[in-house]
């Protein structure tokens, strides 16, 4: 299962802890890193069993599940910039007076009102989630949509693609198979999303690439590798250093 599929299909509890458990391993939902069961992992002279090691990985690599989630695009979280900042300050343990002073808005009672609004949003989310879960048993006509990668940018209708549409797009633009070269660069946004998602699979998690290495990998996919590189960054699949000296798969 792809990282995005695991992330969006994870249960509420799994999402909170940041990883899922399979028969022989634990998998980080935030980056896809795996930890094998039955192995003891050393860190600074201390030995940790697999699940504890996974929790340490999340802390070291992502700070916390909260930090990872709140950094996602606001179209994925449903939070306004104002709400995002409030939640960050609450998570830091600041009281209402401290939050009010740092944000420079209203009074302590204003912050309490914001807390109430956020609690209302939480209640609505719980009800909506329950209704959507119940709907799954009745809605036999719901299409299977291609899951969004967590670092998707400009989240809009271009991501409204079903699994069936994905197969058609891949066959059209990769007639020799998805590991071969593109026949042409897609003219439509939805097609670009699918093609770029497929090309991003050619890169490994936790590996840094030089510009030369990136260009070599992309040139095997399409002659205009600069175009591919730009769109992979624009769509949130790749990230890079400001000077372009290193690239990596965005988590």
């Amino acid at each position: 299962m792809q990282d995005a599929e695991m992330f969006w299909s994870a249960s509420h509890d799994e999402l909170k802890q940041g990883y899922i458990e399979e028969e022989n391993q634990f998998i980080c939902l935030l980056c896809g890193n795996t930890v094998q069961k039955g192995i003891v992992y050393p860190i600074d002279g201390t030995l940790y069993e697999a699940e504890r090691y996974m929790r340490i990985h999340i802390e070291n690599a992502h700070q916390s599940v909260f930090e990872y989630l709140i950094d996602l695009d606001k179209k994925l979280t449903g939070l306004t910039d104002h709400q995002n900042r409030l939640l960050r300050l609450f998570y830091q343990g600041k009281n209402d007076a401290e939050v009010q002073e740092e944000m420079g808005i209203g009074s302590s009672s204003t912050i309490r009102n914001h807390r109430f609004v956020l609690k209302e949003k939480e209640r609505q989310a719980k009800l909506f989630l329950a209704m959507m879960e119940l709907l799954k048993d009745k809605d036999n006509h719901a299409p299977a949509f291609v899951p969004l990668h967590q670092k998707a940018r400009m989240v809009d209708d271009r991501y409204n693609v079903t699994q069936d549409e994905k197969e058609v797009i891949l066959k059209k633009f990769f007639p020799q198979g998805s590991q071969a070269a593109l026949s042409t660069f897609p003219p439509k946004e939805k097609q670009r999303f699918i093609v770029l998602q497929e090309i991003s699979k050619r890169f490994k998690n936790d590996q840094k690439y030089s510009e030369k290495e990136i260009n070599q990998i992309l040139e095997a996919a399409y002659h205009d590798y600069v175009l591919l590189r730009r769109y992979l960054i624009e769509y949130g699949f790749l990230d890079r250093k400001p000077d372009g000296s290193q690239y990596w798969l965005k988590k």
Side-chain angles (χ1 to χ4, degrees):
M1 185 183 292
Q2 298 174 14
D3 293 351
E5 290 180 285
M6 285 192 295
F7 183 87
W8 295 115
S9 63
S11 68
H12 178 68
D13 288 338
E14 288 171 336
L15 200 54
K16 280 174 58 181
Q17 68 186 12
Y19 61 90
I20 62 172
E21 180 178 358
E22 294 189 340
E23 183 178 357
N24 298 312
Q25 63 185 357
F26 296 97
I27 305 176
C28 178
L29 289 169
L30 314 184
C31 68
N33 185 59
T34 60
V35 175
Q36 300 300 314
K37 292 182 178 180
I39 297 178
V40 177
Y41 295 86
I43 301 179
D44 297 330
T46 303
L47 301 178
Y48 296 93
E49 50 83 25
E51 188 167 14
R52 174 62 178 143
Y53 184 80
M54 174 57 75
R55 292 198 292 269
I56 294 173
H57 156 76
I58 289 174
E59 181 179 335
N60 291 340
H62 310 290
Q63 292 186 276
S64 70
V65 178
F66 179 89
E67 296 287 352
Y68 178 88
L69 295 179
I70 205 162
D71 277 339
L72 297 179
D73 189 277
K74 60 185 177 183
K75 289 193 176 181
L76 296 180
T77 64
L79 296 171
T80 65
D81 293 337
H82 186 71
Q83 291 170 331
N84 185 293
R85 190 178 178 196
L86 281 167
L87 286 174
R88 289 177 186 273
L89 293 173
F90 294 152
Y91 187 75
Q92 292 169 16
K94 297 183 183 295
N95 60 37
D96 291 356
E98 291 170 328
V99 172
Q100 182 274 327
E101 182 179 358
E102 183 153 341
M103 295 191 70
I105 56 173
S107 62
S108 293
S109 61
T110 302
I111 304 302
R112 286 197 297 275
N113 183 63
H114 284 304
R115 287 186 184 273
F116 177 81
V117 172
L118 289 168
K119 289 298 292 185
E120 187 69 16
K121 189 178 182 72
E122 179 189 15
R123 288 190 287 269
Q124 292 169 347
K126 285 181 177 179
L127 292 176
F128 182 72
L129 182 59
M131 287 187 288
M132 290 301 291
E133 288 294 324
L134 292 168
L135 180 61
K136 289 179 183 178
D137 298 329
K138 296 292 184 179
D139 188 1
N140 298 318
H141 304 288
F145 291 100
V146 175
L148 288 175
H149 54 292
Q150 297 97 289
K151 293 299 182 177
R153 301 173 63 186
M154 305 172 296
V155 180
D156 53 27
D157 189 59
R158 77 189 71 190
Y159 295 97
N160 179 10
V161 186
T162 67
Q163 292 288 355
D164 289 340
E165 289 173 324
K166 174 181 178 179
E167 295 304 317
V168 172
I169 292 170
L170 290 179
K171 288 180 181 178
K172 177 179 180 179
F173 291 97
F174 290 104
Q176 304 301 319
S178 61
Q179 292 302 308
L182 273 172
S183 58
T184 184
F185 190 71
K188 297 180 180 179
E189 297 284 4
K190 288 185 179 182
Q191 296 170 335
R192 289 175 184 174
F193 160 55
I194 295 300
V195 164
L196 293 168
Q197 183 185 64
E198 198 66 22
I199 290 174
S200 72
K201 296 176 184 177
R202 303 187 186 199
F203 302 98
K204 297 178 180 179
N205 280 324
D206 300 317
Q207 182 168 334
K208 298 292 178 68
Y209 298 88
S210 67
E211 183 173 353
K212 181 179 180 181
E213 290 170 328
I214 281 285
N215 293 344
Q216 287 175 337
I217 293 171
L218 294 180
E219 191 171 17
Y222 191 58
H223 65 88
D224 192 346
Y225 56 85
V226 175
L227 178 73
L228 284 186
R229 193 178 66 204
R230 175 164 61 84
Y231 273 106
L232 283 165
I233 292 171
E234 181 178 317
Y235 274 71
F237 289 106
L238 289 182
D239 206 348
R240 66 177 178 180
K241 284 188 173 182
D243 62 1
S245 61
Q246 282 190 329
Y247 294 76
W248 58 89
L249 200 61
K250 202 167 183 178
K251 300 176 183 178

